[in-house]
Amino acid sequence: MMIVNAEGEDTGSERAEIHFLSALVDELMRKLLAAGVMTQAELNEVEAAAVKRVGGIPRAW
C-alpha cells in the first residue's frame, strides 16, 4: 500500500517500511551466501535483475 501526502510524495512511514524490507532482503541474501545455498555469482545476478527493474547501481556480492 502506497502512502502519499497531498502532493503525491511518499511519507516517512512508507520510507521506513521500504528500508525495513530492504534490510530483510539484504540479511536473507547474506544468509543464503553463508549457507552455500546461492553462489556469489547468483546473488550478483539477483542484484542485477532487481536494479534493472527499479533503477540504480547494483551492489557487488
Side-chain angles (χ1 to χ4, degrees):
M1 181 171 125
M2 183 176 227
I3 303 169
V4 295
N5 62 17
E7 290 78 38
E9 299 168 336
D10 64 352
T11 64
S13 63
E14 180 187 33
R15 188 158 302 276
E17 186 175 339
I18 290 169
H19 284 288
F20 175 74
L21 292 172
S22 177
L24 284 176
V25 169
D26 189 67
E27 188 62 25
L28 175 61
M29 291 177 76
R30 290 181 194 285
K31 297 281 185 184
L32 290 171
L33 179 61
V37 175
M38 294 183 77
T39 66
Q40 193 169 10
E42 290 170 326
L43 291 176
N44 284 329
E45 288 175 15
V46 169
E47 184 77 21
V51 166
K52 186 176 180 181
R53 290 187 74 178
V54 299
I57 299 170
R59 299 172 301 164
W61 286 93

